[in-house]
Amino acid sequence: MGPFPNTLGTFPSSPPLDLQYNNFSGNMPSEICLLKGLELISLASNEISGSIPLEIGRLSSVSEIYFFDNYLRGSIPASVGNLTYLSVLHLYQNMFCGSIPREIGMLKSLTDFELIHNNFSGSIPASIRNLTSLSTLHLHHNMFSGSIPQEIGMLKSLTDFEFSHNNFSGSVPASIRNLTSLSSLHLHHNMFSGSLPQEIRMLKSLTDFELSQNNFSGSMSKLMMIYLHHNHLSGPIPSALGNLTHLQSLQLGDNHLSGPLPKNLCRDGQLANLSAFNNNLTGNISEAFGTYPSLNYIALSNNKFYGELSPNWGQCHSLTSLRISNNNISGKIPPELKHATQLHELDVSSNHLIGEIPKELRALTLMYKLLLSGNQLSGKISPEIGVLSNLEYLNLASNNLSGPIPNQLGECSKLLDLNLSKNKLGESIPFSVSYINGLQNLDLSWNLLIGEIPQELAKLHSLEILDLSHNMLNGCIPNSFNDLKSLTVVNISYNQLEGPIPNIKQRS
């Protein structure tokens, strides 16, 4: 629609000026500040650039400002402090920079303040304590730094508090205990450190709490979600979390947390998502878990858990993802997992598991990712593997599996990545592998395979990586491999092959 007209100041001073969701471009004209009777001004979702006019403070009657989703830059003018009737200020998704002016504390009627997805920096002014009517404060995805001021505890009307994806540091202030109306608290992807404050237990209305990827260590009876990932949190997980009977999501990944999971962690509650990967958590994994009928996602990889896998997880009938790789878990894979029929992803790789892969896993027909590599599993690969027709990723590498590769593996027609390397698998490569049309990565290296390379492998037109090295294969390399145009890496070294080498793009 072109640029803003510079005659806005001649428009009647009607209460609303709503020009959102158009194609206006150019700078915001200062004449807009002559409309002193305005109660609402919305220029949202246009292509407006430039800065907010310094004269914005003249709009003394305005109660709602919506400038989001434009190309506005510069800082928030200090004159915004004159807008004493302002209740909504939405500046998100622009290119604003600079700090929040301390004059923001003059907006005592402000209830909704959103600056997300900009380039704001600096610390939060202590004057924020005056915003006692504020219910929503969204500052995430900026470059704010410093600590959260203790004055934040004076915002007793606050229900939604989102500071994630910034450079905040220090500890979470103890004054947070005063925010008894708070239902959502997101502090993840910052540099917070220290322990989780025990005062959090006072936030009895909290339903959504995120602190992941910080540096925290370390009773919210209605709390449903805790997100603390991507910080520098350390210390133990507070046992008080076990009292949160409404907790549905707990995300603590990518911190420096240590100690065990609280044994009473929503044992009788509604916990659905538990994510605490990439920490230093320890303790007996089986003792930490009871039966959680609501659990659908567990991610505890890259910790120091020990003990055996709990057969109780089979009673988690809603469980879709179980990821506990790279721990010190021992024992066998419990056949009781067959009852978790909604399981889509099972990753217990890089542990100390022994015994055979339970045939009972055939009941998990929705499984698309089965990762058991880096253990001490033994026995044969059951022919019933073919029942798992939804598998896309199968990794059984670095175990002690023996016997033949079952022909039924070809029935897993959706496989993209098949890795059976570093085992003791023998006999020949079954031609049925060629039925897996979409296969992109095939690694059978470091086994005891014999016989010739099947000509049928040339049907794998999506194959990008083929590793058959360190086996006892003989015969010639099939000329049909010339037709595999997608191949980027081929390793067939350390075999007993002979004859001419086909014109394969890459070979080792």
Side-chain angles (χ1 to χ4, degrees), residues 297-369:
Y297 182 87
I298 302 174
L300 300 175
S301 296
N302 298 306
N303 279 287
K304 298 176 181 178
F305 290 111
Y306 58 87
E308 299 186 1
L309 297 177
S310 172
N312 291 331
W313 276 331
Q315 300 178 42
C316 299
H317 300 302
S318 300
L319 191 62
T320 62
S321 182
L322 177 57
R323 301 168 59 186
I324 48 177
S325 64
N326 198 23
N327 279 282
N328 296 312
I329 300 169
S330 57
K332 297 182 179 181
I333 300 173
E336 289 84 357
L337 277 179
K338 68 180 181 181
H339 299 301
T341 54
Q342 298 301 309
L343 202 58
H344 289 64
E345 180 181 13
L346 176 60
D347 184 0
V348 292
S349 55
S350 299
N351 279 288
H352 306 290
L353 298 172
I354 61 172
E356 298 186 2
I357 301 172
K359 295 180 181 180
E360 288 82 358
L361 295 187
R362 66 180 180 272
L364 307 179
T365 55
L366 298 179
M367 186 86 72
Y368 84 93
K369 184 179 289 187

Side-chain angles (χ1 to χ4, degrees), residues 56-307:
I56 192 76
R58 296 178 181 176
L59 300 178
S60 56
S61 299
V62 73
S63 62
E64 299 178 43
I65 293 179
Y66 302 96
F67 289 168
F68 62 85
D69 196 14
N70 279 288
Y71 298 103
L72 294 168
R73 59 182 68 243
S75 57
I76 300 175
S79 62
V80 75
N82 298 328
L83 307 180
T84 54
Y85 291 101
L86 193 63
S87 62
V88 177
L89 180 57
H90 284 188
L91 304 181
Y92 57 89
Q93 288 181 234
N94 280 284
M95 294 183 286
F96 289 114
C97 60
S99 58
I100 298 175
R102 58 185 177 84
E103 288 81 2
I104 205 75
M106 300 172 66
L107 306 182
K108 296 184 178 181
S109 298
L110 197 62
T111 61
D112 192 344
F113 186 27
E114 302 195 22
L115 304 182
I116 61 178
H117 287 284
N118 278 286
N119 297 310
F120 287 109
S121 59
S123 57
I124 307 301
S127 62
I128 200 170
R129 64 179 177 270
N130 298 322
L131 304 184
T132 54
S133 298
L134 197 63
S135 62
T136 300
L137 179 58
H138 286 177
L139 306 182
H140 58 90
H141 289 88
N142 279 286
M143 295 184 289
F144 288 112
S145 59
S147 59
I148 297 177
Q150 288 285 346
E151 288 82 358
I152 202 75
M154 301 182 70
L155 308 185
K156 295 184 178 181
S157 297
L158 204 60
T159 61
D160 193 348
F161 185 5
E162 169 64 279
F163 277 23
S164 67
H165 295 272
N166 279 287
N167 297 314
F168 288 113
S169 58
S171 59
V172 177
S175 63
I176 201 171
R177 64 178 176 269
N178 298 323
L179 306 182
T180 54
S181 298
L182 200 62
S183 62
S184 180
L185 174 59
H186 285 196
L187 303 177
H188 57 99
H189 287 84
N190 278 288
M191 295 184 288
F192 291 114
S193 58
S195 302
L196 296 178
Q198 293 292 334
E199 287 80 6
I200 290 175
R201 68 181 183 273
M202 305 295 293
L203 306 183
K204 296 184 178 180
S205 297
L206 200 60
T207 61
D208 189 347
F209 178 26
E210 180 159 1
L211 283 177
S212 52
Q213 287 194 336
N214 275 283
N215 292 316
F216 285 120
S217 59
S219 233
M220 306 156 278
S221 61
K222 296 183 180 180
L223 184 63
M224 297 171 62
M225 302 182 186
I226 298 181
Y227 302 135
L228 305 178
H229 51 270
H230 295 285
N231 278 284
H232 303 288
L233 301 173
S234 58
I237 299 174
S239 59
L241 293 183
N243 300 324
L244 307 180
T245 56
H246 294 272
L247 187 64
Q248 295 180 6
S249 184
L250 176 60
Q251 299 195 26
L252 307 173
D254 277 314
N255 280 288
H256 303 295
L257 297 168
S258 58
L261 288 172
K263 290 184 178 181
N264 61 341
L265 186 60
C266 292
R267 189 169 295 277
D268 300 314
Q270 304 175 30
L271 189 65
N273 299 305
L274 173 60
S275 177
F277 57 89
N278 294 348
N279 279 287
N280 295 310
L281 297 171
T282 186
N284 191 314
I285 193 93
S286 60
E287 293 179 0
F289 279 88
T291 300
Y292 303 137
S294 300
L295 265 180
N296 62 46
Y297 182 87
I298 302 174
L300 300 175
S301 296
N302 298 306
N303 279 287
K304 298 176 181 178
F305 290 111
Y306 58 87

